[in-house]
Amino acid sequence: MCSIEKILVSIVLINILQLETYLCTKNNSKIIMEDAQEKYKFLITAGYRPKIDNLAKYVVSLRGKKYKRFFGDNHGCGGSIISPKVILTAAHCVCRGDSRIELKPLRPSDLLVVAGTPRRLVVTEKTQALKVDKVICHAYYDPKTFHNDIALLLLIKNIYEDGVSAQRISLQTSSLPPHTKCTVLGWGQIFTKGPLPDLILHADIYIMPNEFCKERANDFFFGMMCANDENDFEKDSCVGDSGGPLICNGSVAGIVSFGYGCGAPDEAGFYTNVSSYRDWIRKNGLDKLRPVNYILLIVLQICITEN
């Protein structure tokens, strides 16, 4: 009886200690967050969190197949849902090699797509973790210049679209004029070499004229575009935002590609211009059935014919 009483007392003390630890952690986190907000803006770089987020449902987190210490610490890039089974991203996120000749896609088994949540580190009831069936890199992607920095991931299973936590986004079909307002969002570093956020961040920036982009890039090719905010140079995409969308007028117009620092003065972020690759996207990803589906269709047709 004595031992049982000791056990019960121990359980009560442990629960009290856990409750105190939780409350202390919660209060400390609140103090740290308030202090941080006073010292600097929460960046994407220089981003914000909208009260009602209507864009995060289009974005996925591309990760390694296993996290190291905690859920979400294996986040590498972003991506856009353009069909329940197709993710649009940057080639440099999923293709490896020092030159176009040596370029190889990552093994599908080494990748995981997480959809349905704006949280990077928290598993919610809406979180969807999906395996990749195939990685398709643009055949002419050049890792040295980031020319043709575009890739597709074909998923094994469909993303469940509820229109609130996960939803496909349409493709921009034509090039947009300079100074069009757009939004870039992702889980990238909040400043150069800084931490990655848990909750996805947004930044409103503007498409810049090609002349502006050419002056700020060593190589500026067809299919590239750049964007920034001339009145607030800190607004920018950063490491970890790669592959994510630049959304303009409700469609994905750009893919985060590269930049020279994050939020550097008189610089801009560079993006793959989606409208330049719409035919490539449709040919290689949209409405594409997996080979096993063709086999099943043939078997089904044979069965129907025999019956």
Side-chain angles (χ1 to χ4, degrees):
M1 186 69 182
C2 182
S3 61
I4 294 174
E5 288 177 354
K6 287 181 178 179
I7 291 171
L8 290 173
V9 170
S10 299
I11 291 172
V12 171
L13 289 173
I14 289 169
N15 285 333
I16 291 172
L17 181 62
Q18 286 179 335
L19 179 61
E20 288 180 348
T21 303
Y22 167 75
L23 292 173
C24 181
T25 303
K26 188 176 181 181
N27 290 333
N28 285 342
S29 297
K30 187 177 180 182
I31 292 169
I32 291 169
M33 293 295 281
E34 289 173 351
D35 183 56
Q37 286 176 335
E38 288 178 4
K39 290 182 178 178
Y40 57 82
K41 296 177 184 177
F42 270 109
L43 318 173
I44 178 177
T45 305
Y48 64 94
R49 295 184 177 108
K51 290 182 179 179
I52 300 175
D53 192 339
N54 294 316
L55 300 181
K57 62 185 177 182
Y58 302 125
V59 190
V60 300
S61 168
L62 305 187
R63 308 179 177 184
K65 60 181 177 180
K66 292 182 180 180
Y67 57 82
K68 297 176 182 178
R69 296 181 61 189
F70 50 85
F71 182 81
D73 68 1
N74 52 342
H75 168 82
C77 283
S80 304
I81 305 170
I82 58 171
S83 117
K85 223 168 208 174
V86 183
I87 302 300
L88 178 68
T89 189
H92 77 264
C93 290
V94 294
C95 312
R96 295 290 180 265
D98 294 330
S99 67
R100 187 168 63 83
I101 298 173
E102 301 171 353
L103 198 66
K104 290 183 179 179
L106 295 179
R107 292 185 303 177
S109 59
D110 290 336
L111 291 168
L112 189 69
V113 172
V114 176
T117 177
R119 305 290 298 273
R120 179 176 64 91
L121 303 174
V122 179
V123 179
T124 71
E125 60 181 9
K126 299 288 187 179
T127 300
Q128 301 181 54
L130 302 111
K131 294 181 179 179
V132 177
D133 180 48
K134 192 174 183 180
V135 179
I136 302 172
C137 304
H138 195 287
Y140 294 99
Y141 164 60
D142 187 341
K144 293 182 179 179
T145 63
F146 290 94
H147 190 202
N148 302 310
D149 190 11
I150 185 170
L152 297 171
L153 303 181
L154 306 187
L155 305 177
I156 291 177
K157 294 183 179 179
N158 284 5
I159 291 174
Y160 173 68
E161 298 177 276
D162 60 6
V164 178
S165 63
Q167 182 67 45
R168 77 189 76 183
I169 187 169
S170 60
L171 301 174
Q172 179 64 38
T173 56
S174 58
S175 293
L176 294 168
H179 308 295
T180 299
K181 185 178 180 179
C182 305
T183 302
V184 59
L185 61 162
W187 295 273
Q189 294 176 357
I190 60 176
F191 50 82
T192 303
K193 297 184 180 180
L196 278 64
D198 168 40
L199 188 60
I200 197 168
L201 290 169
H202 302 54
D204 296 331
I205 52 180
Y206 300 85
I207 294 174
M208 302 306 293
N210 285 342
E211 294 74 21
F212 178 95
C213 303
K214 289 175 182 177
E215 291 174 358
R216 287 157 179 80
N218 296 328
D219 296 289
F220 187 78
F221 298 95
F222 171 81
M224 290 182 177
M225 58 194 291
C226 76
N228 74 356
D229 184 341
E230 290 183 290
N231 296 318
D232 188 351
F233 63 83
E234 287 187 331
K235 293 181 181 180
D236 196 5
S237 50
C238 199
V239 178
D241 293 318
S242 290
L246 178 68
I247 299 174
C248 313
N249 302 327
S251 299
V252 57
I255 304 168
V256 180
S257 183
F258 69 97
Y260 302 97
C262 302
D266 200 35
E267 291 290 349
F270 287 80
Y271 301 80
T272 302
N273 190 338
V274 169
S275 66
S276 302
Y277 296 92
R278 59 187 183 277
D279 292 336
W280 182 89
I281 293 169
R282 290 193 179 96
K283 179 181 177 182
N284 290 279
L286 296 179
D287 303 321
K288 194 168 186 179
L289 291 171
R290 295 172 62 212
V292 66
N293 289 342
Y294 286 116
I295 296 171
L296 289 173
L297 286 173
I298 293 170
V299 171
L300 181 61
Q301 190 174 10
I302 292 170
C303 292
I304 292 172
T305 304
E306 288 181 350
N307 290 335

